[in-house]
Amino acid sequence: MQNQCDIALVMAGAVSAGAYTAGVVDFLIQALDQWQQARDNDDPTAPPHQINLKLLTGASAGGMTAAITTTILAGRPHQPIGNDDPGLDVSDNVLFQSWVNDIDIEPLLGLSDLQKNEPLLSLLDSSILDVIAEKALQTDRLAQRKPWADDQLEVLLTLANLRGVPYNIPFVTEDNSQPAAERPGHGMRQHRDYLHFSFHPTAQAGTHALDWQGQHAGWSLLRQAALATGAFPLGLAPRKIRQPGNFYDQRSFRTEGPGKLDTGECLCVIEPRIAAAWGGPAPADYHFISVDGGVFDNEPYELARSRLNADQPETLTESKTTRFMLAIDPFPDTRNFANDDYTEPESMLDLLLRLIGAMKNQGRFKPAELATAANHISASRRIIAPSRPGTSPGELQIASGLLGGFSGFLERGFRYHDFMLGRANCQEFLREHFSLPQDNPLIGQWTPAQRQAHSSTNGLCPVIPLYGTAREAVAVPAWPRISPARLRLLQKLAKKRINKMLPELFKVVVPGNRVFRKLAVWVARLTQTGDWTKRGINTVTQQLQEHDLMAD
């Protein structure tokens, strides 16, 4: 459709900086609602083209935010956040309530999970996450679908599948009549996984059905998938996922295909379906333990592009494109590699940690995206990333950006700042950067009055114009700080949790001798726990002080 703009949102992994992503989404919803209201009120300056939010993809915190956003698109009551802090009980904004108010280090240092006589699966108490997910993904209050959300909206959440899906690279044999998956060859397992949800009225192959009334069983699986994609390895409890094995037989793999353009450059990509090598019929109940979706696919660009452009090729030029992939990434890696302060591993443990990091980075490497974007800057790909007013290059942009992304859990003020910064950055992005030339099909049908009302000095026109409350400047709070008293409280909670965890930890380290294990626990509690927590808080304090996040 010439007057329809299709959009896919890609929400990258973010840990506690999910508060930033939530703020971006909060303002985007506000801007689209306000524009729709202007259109409904027959405002002559309201451009006629339609926004169609076609796809949500996410990993880790981004995946959790994508799941929450799905309920809002389905009609959950939602009131965007204004410039004043709304407080601790915000019933009409589940993004703010979940990412600013509910998630915090205090309940994560709780003891609820240690009172169930079950094996210890995580360093932090994940019980609060189940409570948040239950509240955040309620579907009993759904009203009417957002008019700018595709009626067949798709949602894809990445997972790290610890069981793996088997595949086979077949070799030539005397009998090549067997299916490729069953011939002798090289076996391997795919651990980079995802769950695919769709509001399509008839179930599509390999997808889980959702409905706009919130009644379908797929909503329960979406809740579990949200917890699974955010299950930070070792830090948070892993989750069990189950779905039919034949879902994987419908998966396609993006790879190079034959053919060239007139210029001689190959832009041809094929996505063949490849059946899994089950060694027989696909299991009806394929179940696995999943951890953080960001382990292998922290920025699911390929999933988004594949689905966004499923029925037509991607358009690269600004004058033609009507489909966009908007990435929300709190931690874009834009460092100068030449200035990296590289040090060689100094011990076996250091070597192991470097190896784990290398495996993670290699798993996230995206050669298809790199090859596509390296020589062809696509007008359809845009990014929203933290940009704090008044800062210099190299300065920390978000308060949740320390301690591997965990610092936001330490203090509500950190998360509130990042949420509001997300709102401000989204407003600036829509007003200043997300624009098209006047010869684009979306803009070509505008009236002179609409062009005069919205076009910038360089003649570009916004894809999403700002109306009503979305025009009001978003205020970014002052740079937040945490008090020493707060850190002392967290140190006490951490010490209490470690002491409670020690028997379970020593069951792993010393599995046999119960007497020796009890003695080891007693000695550790007496001599080590206080030192561990003190050193941990000192490290945290040092990082916070370096970035002016500590109060005097």
Side-chain angles (χ1 to χ4, degrees), residues 47-70:
H49 68 273
Q50 303 285 330
I51 294 297
N52 183 52
L53 184 55
K54 186 179 180 68
L55 181 73
L56 301 176
T57 65
S60 190
M64 301 172 88
T65 305
I68 296 172
T69 303
T70 303

Side-chain angles (χ1 to χ4, degrees), residues 40-295:
D40 294 342
N41 292 336
D42 297 324
D43 187 327
T45 67
H49 68 273
Q50 303 285 330
I51 294 297
N52 183 52
L53 184 55
K54 186 179 180 68
L55 181 73
L56 301 176
T57 65
S60 190
M64 301 172 88
T65 305
I68 296 172
T69 303
T70 303
T71 68
I72 300 172
L73 300 183
R76 178 172 183 152
H78 184 81
Q79 181 65 37
I81 300 300
N83 284 336
D84 295 326
D85 188 338
L88 300 177
D89 186 9
V90 185
S91 60
D92 57 2
N93 191 311
V94 67
L95 289 168
F96 187 91
Q97 186 63 31
S98 300
W99 277 111
V100 178
N101 287 338
D102 288 346
I103 187 63
D104 189 81
I105 192 62
E106 285 195 51
L108 291 173
L109 291 175
L111 306 176
S112 298
D113 61 329
L114 302 176
Q115 299 170 356
K116 299 177 181 179
N117 294 320
E118 295 177 355
L120 181 66
L121 295 175
S122 60
L123 296 176
L124 297 173
D125 184 354
S126 301
S127 305
I128 184 62
L129 299 179
D130 294 89
V131 175
I132 294 174
E134 188 67 30
K135 292 195 301 182
L137 295 173
Q138 288 178 350
T139 57
D140 57 346
R141 298 173 58 200
L142 301 186
Q144 186 176 8
R145 171 178 66 89
K146 295 288 187 184
W148 39 265
D150 194 299
D151 62 351
Q152 298 179 17
L153 176 74
E154 296 180 70
V155 183
L156 294 95
L157 307 186
T158 66
L159 305 171
N161 180 337
L162 298 188
R163 183 180 183 182
V165 181
Y167 288 92
N168 181 48
I169 301 177
F171 284 75
V172 175
T173 63
E174 294 181 0
D175 180 14
N176 290 322
S177 62
Q178 295 175 285
E182 298 177 11
R183 293 207 305 268
H186 172 67
M188 53 188 179
R189 289 177 184 262
Q190 170 83 333
H191 296 273
R192 181 175 176 171
D193 205 348
Y194 63 90
L195 286 188
H196 188 177
F197 300 87
S198 173
F199 285 88
H200 196 283
T202 58
Q204 298 174 298
T207 64
H208 298 279
L210 298 175
D211 67 308
W212 295 110
Q213 294 73 39
Q215 302 298 314
H216 203 285
W219 286 99
S220 178
L221 181 60
L222 179 65
R223 185 182 303 113
Q224 185 70 357
L227 291 168
T229 191
F232 193 90
L234 301 183
L236 301 172
R239 304 289 171 162
K240 179 180 284 189
I241 296 293
R242 56 195 337 135
Q243 64 180 344
N246 61 13
F247 273 36
Y248 293 93
D249 296 336
Q250 310 301 322
R251 295 274 173 94
S252 55
F253 291 81
R254 191 176 182 86
T255 185
E256 296 178 359
K260 290 187 177 181
L261 302 177
D262 294 339
T263 59
E265 299 170 287
C266 180
L267 276 181
C268 304
V269 173
I270 59 174
E271 296 190 16
R273 287 184 177 177
I274 303 176
W278 300 113
D285 179 20
Y286 172 75
H287 55 88
F288 59 92
I289 292 297
S290 171
V291 296
D292 198 312
V295 171

Side-chain angles (χ1 to χ4, degrees), residues 27 79 89 160 197 270-271 279 298 390 393 396 413 418 425 482 516:
F27 187 85
Q79 181 65 37
D89 186 9
F197 300 87
I270 59 174
E271 296 190 16
N298 200 53
L396 187 67
D418 294 350
N425 286 172
I482 189 172
F516 181 77

Side-chain angles (χ1 to χ4, degrees), residues 83 388-389 417 420-421 424-425 474-479:
N83 284 336
R388 183 159 58 96
H417 170 275
M420 296 304 294
L421 181 65
N425 286 172
V474 176
V476 179
W479 191 234

